[in-house]
Short mmCIF file of all heavy atoms in Angstrom, two decimals:
data_model
loop_
_atom_site.label_atom_id
_atom_site.label_comp_id
_atom_site.label_asym_id
_atom_site.label_seq_id
_atom_site.Cartn_x
_atom_site.Cartn_y
_atom_site.Cartn_z
N LEU D 512 11.65 -2.92 19.50
CA LEU D 512 10.45 -3.58 20.11
C LEU D 512 9.30 -2.60 20.11
O LEU D 512 9.36 -1.41 20.57
CB LEU D 512 10.57 -4.00 21.49
CG LEU D 512 11.91 -4.74 21.78
CD1 LEU D 512 12.08 -5.15 23.24
CD2 LEU D 512 11.97 -6.07 20.93
N ALA D 513 8.10 -2.88 19.48
CA ALA D 513 6.99 -2.07 19.46
C ALA D 513 5.77 -2.88 20.16
O ALA D 513 5.38 -3.85 19.63
CB ALA D 513 6.56 -1.74 17.97
N PHE D 514 5.23 -2.31 21.17
CA PHE D 514 4.19 -2.87 21.85
C PHE D 514 2.92 -2.06 21.70
O PHE D 514 2.98 -0.79 21.73
CB PHE D 514 4.45 -2.99 23.47
CG PHE D 514 5.59 -4.05 23.79
CD1 PHE D 514 6.85 -3.61 23.71
CD2 PHE D 514 5.19 -5.26 24.13
CE1 PHE D 514 7.91 -4.51 24.03
CE2 PHE D 514 6.29 -6.19 24.41
CZ PHE D 514 7.54 -5.75 24.39
N SER D 515 1.76 -2.75 21.63
CA SER D 515 0.42 -1.99 21.53
C SER D 515 -0.64 -2.88 22.24
O SER D 515 -0.59 -4.17 22.09
CB SER D 515 0.14 -1.80 20.19
OG SER D 515 0.05 -3.00 19.35
N PRO D 516 -1.62 -2.28 22.80
CA PRO D 516 -2.74 -3.04 23.49
C PRO D 516 -3.72 -3.59 22.37
O PRO D 516 -3.68 -2.92 21.31
CB PRO D 516 -3.37 -2.07 24.43
CG PRO D 516 -3.05 -0.71 23.78
CD PRO D 516 -1.69 -0.88 23.14
N ILE D 517 -4.35 -4.58 22.71
CA ILE D 517 -5.45 -5.12 21.74
C ILE D 517 -6.76 -5.08 22.49
O ILE D 517 -7.01 -5.45 23.70
CB ILE D 517 -5.15 -6.53 21.40
CG1 ILE D 517 -3.78 -6.73 20.75
CG2 ILE D 517 -6.24 -7.13 20.55
CD1 ILE D 517 -3.41 -8.12 20.52
N ARG D 518 -7.74 -4.41 21.80
CA ARG D 518 -9.05 -4.28 22.39
C ARG D 518 -10.11 -4.91 21.50
O ARG D 518 -9.93 -4.97 20.21
CB ARG D 518 -9.37 -2.77 22.61
CG ARG D 518 -8.25 -2.07 23.44
CD ARG D 518 -8.63 -0.59 23.69
NE ARG D 518 -7.63 0.18 24.41
CZ ARG D 518 -7.60 0.19 25.84
NH1 ARG D 518 -8.57 -0.34 26.49
NH2 ARG D 518 -6.66 0.76 26.42
N ASP D 519 -11.33 -5.24 22.12
CA ASP D 519 -12.41 -5.74 21.38
C ASP D 519 -13.20 -4.53 20.86
O ASP D 519 -12.84 -3.37 20.94
CB ASP D 519 -13.18 -6.74 22.18
CG ASP D 519 -13.75 -6.10 23.44
OD1 ASP D 519 -13.76 -4.85 23.57
OD2 ASP D 519 -14.27 -6.89 24.30
N ASP D 520 -14.40 -4.92 20.19
CA ASP D 520 -15.24 -3.88 19.61
C ASP D 520 -15.79 -2.86 20.71
O ASP D 520 -15.95 -1.79 20.32
CB ASP D 520 -16.43 -4.49 18.82
CG ASP D 520 -15.95 -5.28 17.57
OD1 ASP D 520 -14.72 -4.97 17.22
OD2 ASP D 520 -16.60 -6.16 17.11
N SER D 521 -15.88 -3.29 21.87
CA SER D 521 -16.40 -2.43 22.92
C SER D 521 -15.34 -1.70 23.50
O SER D 521 -15.65 -0.84 24.48
CB SER D 521 -17.25 -3.36 24.01
OG SER D 521 -16.32 -4.23 24.65
N GLY D 522 -14.18 -1.87 23.19
CA GLY D 522 -12.98 -1.13 23.73
C GLY D 522 -12.39 -1.80 24.97
O GLY D 522 -11.52 -1.20 25.56
N ALA D 523 -12.85 -3.04 25.27
CA ALA D 523 -12.28 -3.63 26.42
C ALA D 523 -10.89 -4.29 26.04
O ALA D 523 -10.73 -4.83 25.07
CB ALA D 523 -13.23 -4.81 26.90
N LEU D 524 -9.94 -4.22 27.00
CA LEU D 524 -8.69 -4.69 26.75
C LEU D 524 -8.69 -6.10 26.89
O LEU D 524 -8.99 -6.73 27.96
CB LEU D 524 -7.75 -4.06 27.79
CG LEU D 524 -6.22 -4.18 27.60
CD1 LEU D 524 -5.73 -3.53 26.32
CD2 LEU D 524 -5.42 -3.74 28.84
N ILE D 525 -8.17 -6.88 25.86
CA ILE D 525 -8.13 -8.30 25.87
C ILE D 525 -6.79 -8.88 25.65
O ILE D 525 -6.57 -10.18 25.72
CB ILE D 525 -9.12 -8.93 24.76
CG1 ILE D 525 -8.57 -8.35 23.33
CG2 ILE D 525 -10.58 -8.46 24.97
CD1 ILE D 525 -9.33 -9.06 22.17
N GLY D 526 -5.80 -8.08 25.43
CA GLY D 526 -4.44 -8.52 25.20
C GLY D 526 -3.48 -7.48 24.74
O GLY D 526 -3.84 -6.32 24.78
N ALA D 527 -2.38 -7.86 24.28
CA ALA D 527 -1.42 -7.04 23.75
C ALA D 527 -0.60 -7.68 22.65
O ALA D 527 -0.35 -8.93 22.64
CB ALA D 527 -0.39 -6.56 24.91
N GLY D 528 -0.09 -6.78 21.71
CA GLY D 528 0.70 -7.29 20.64
C GLY D 528 2.06 -6.76 20.53
O GLY D 528 2.35 -5.71 21.19
N GLN D 529 2.97 -7.47 19.94
CA GLN D 529 4.37 -7.08 19.92
C GLN D 529 4.99 -7.30 18.47
O GLN D 529 4.66 -8.37 17.88
CB GLN D 529 5.23 -7.80 20.92
CG GLN D 529 6.67 -7.42 20.96
CD GLN D 529 7.51 -8.39 21.74
OE1 GLN D 529 7.36 -9.62 21.82
NE2 GLN D 529 8.51 -7.83 22.39
N VAL D 530 5.58 -6.31 17.92
CA VAL D 530 6.28 -6.45 16.63
C VAL D 530 7.78 -6.11 16.88
O VAL D 530 8.12 -5.07 17.40
CB VAL D 530 5.66 -5.51 15.55
CG1 VAL D 530 6.42 -5.55 14.22
CG2 VAL D 530 4.17 -5.77 15.33
N ILE D 531 8.58 -7.02 16.43
CA ILE D 531 9.99 -6.90 16.72
C ILE D 531 10.70 -6.90 15.23
O ILE D 531 10.43 -7.61 14.47
CB ILE D 531 10.59 -8.08 17.58
CG1 ILE D 531 9.84 -8.16 18.83
CG2 ILE D 531 12.10 -7.87 17.75
CD1 ILE D 531 10.27 -9.39 19.68
N ARG D 532 11.53 -5.80 15.22
CA ARG D 532 12.32 -5.75 14.06
C ARG D 532 13.90 -5.79 14.32
O ARG D 532 14.25 -5.08 15.17
CB ARG D 532 11.98 -4.42 13.29
CG ARG D 532 12.77 -4.18 11.96
CD ARG D 532 12.12 -3.02 11.22
NE ARG D 532 10.76 -3.39 10.83
CZ ARG D 532 9.92 -2.58 10.17
NH1 ARG D 532 10.34 -1.32 9.96
NH2 ARG D 532 8.59 -3.01 9.87
N ASP D 533 14.61 -6.52 13.62
CA ASP D 533 16.08 -6.65 13.74
C ASP D 533 16.78 -5.44 13.12
O ASP D 533 16.68 -5.39 11.82
CB ASP D 533 16.56 -7.94 13.27
CG ASP D 533 18.06 -8.29 13.74
OD1 ASP D 533 18.69 -7.24 14.08
OD2 ASP D 533 18.45 -9.36 13.66
N ILE D 534 17.27 -4.51 13.85
CA ILE D 534 17.79 -3.33 13.30
C ILE D 534 19.34 -3.36 13.49
O ILE D 534 19.97 -2.22 13.57
CB ILE D 534 17.12 -2.10 13.91
CG1 ILE D 534 17.42 -2.03 15.39
CG2 ILE D 534 15.73 -1.99 13.54
CD1 ILE D 534 16.97 -0.71 15.95
N THR D 535 19.91 -4.50 13.72
CA THR D 535 21.37 -4.61 13.81
C THR D 535 22.15 -3.95 12.79
O THR D 535 23.07 -3.16 12.99
CB THR D 535 21.79 -6.03 14.10
OG1 THR D 535 20.97 -6.61 15.24
CG2 THR D 535 23.29 -6.15 14.41
N ASP D 536 21.78 -4.29 11.54
CA ASP D 536 22.50 -3.82 10.36
C ASP D 536 22.37 -2.28 10.23
O ASP D 536 23.26 -1.54 10.09
CB ASP D 536 21.98 -4.35 9.11
CG ASP D 536 22.25 -5.91 9.02
OD1 ASP D 536 23.18 -6.31 9.72
OD2 ASP D 536 21.62 -6.63 8.25
N ARG D 537 21.08 -1.81 10.63
CA ARG D 537 20.89 -0.38 10.56
C ARG D 537 21.66 0.39 11.63
O ARG D 537 22.34 1.43 11.36
CB ARG D 537 19.39 -0.02 10.75
CG ARG D 537 18.99 1.33 10.45
CD ARG D 537 17.53 1.58 10.51
NE ARG D 537 17.10 1.51 11.91
CZ ARG D 537 15.77 1.35 12.16
NH1 ARG D 537 14.80 1.48 11.23
NH2 ARG D 537 15.33 1.21 13.48
N VAL D 538 21.76 -0.21 12.84
CA VAL D 538 22.46 0.43 13.91
C VAL D 538 23.93 0.48 13.62
O VAL D 538 24.70 1.47 13.78
CB VAL D 538 22.18 -0.33 15.34
CG1 VAL D 538 23.17 0.20 16.32
CG2 VAL D 538 20.77 -0.19 15.71
N GLU D 539 24.50 -0.73 13.13
CA GLU D 539 25.86 -0.66 12.70
C GLU D 539 26.17 0.25 11.62
O GLU D 539 27.24 0.92 11.55
CB GLU D 539 26.25 -2.13 12.32
CG GLU D 539 26.24 -3.04 13.46
CD GLU D 539 26.61 -4.41 13.05
OE1 GLU D 539 26.66 -4.75 11.80
OE2 GLU D 539 26.72 -5.41 13.88
N SER D 540 25.23 0.39 10.57
CA SER D 540 25.49 1.34 9.44
C SER D 540 25.42 2.82 10.05
O SER D 540 26.29 3.55 9.63
CB SER D 540 24.28 1.22 8.46
OG SER D 540 24.36 -0.07 7.89
N HIS D 541 24.55 3.00 11.04
CA HIS D 541 24.47 4.41 11.58
C HIS D 541 25.69 4.72 12.40
O HIS D 541 26.13 5.76 12.31
CB HIS D 541 23.24 4.45 12.45
CG HIS D 541 21.88 4.64 11.71
ND1 HIS D 541 20.72 4.77 12.37
CD2 HIS D 541 21.67 4.71 10.38
CE1 HIS D 541 19.72 4.82 11.44
NE2 HIS D 541 20.31 4.78 10.23
N GLU D 542 26.21 3.67 13.02
CA GLU D 542 27.49 3.90 13.87
C GLU D 542 28.63 4.11 12.90
O GLU D 542 29.46 5.05 13.09
CB GLU D 542 27.80 2.70 14.68
CG GLU D 542 29.00 2.78 15.55
CD GLU D 542 28.80 3.84 16.48
OE1 GLU D 542 27.74 4.27 16.88
OE2 GLU D 542 29.85 4.32 17.04
N ALA D 543 28.68 3.33 11.83
CA ALA D 543 29.68 3.56 10.84
C ALA D 543 29.56 5.02 10.18
O ALA D 543 30.55 5.74 9.97
CB ALA D 543 29.63 2.53 9.71
#
Side-chain angles (χ1 to χ4, degrees):
L512 313 177
F514 290 87
S515 59
I517 301 175
R518 302 179 184 274
D519 60 12
D520 293 340
S521 63
L524 191 64
I525 61 174
Q529 179 189 36
V530 178
I531 304 175
R532 179 168 295 173
D533 191 343
I534 59 172
T535 304
D536 294 340
R537 188 174 70 187
V538 170
E539 292 177 352
S540 299
H541 285 179
E542 182 62 24

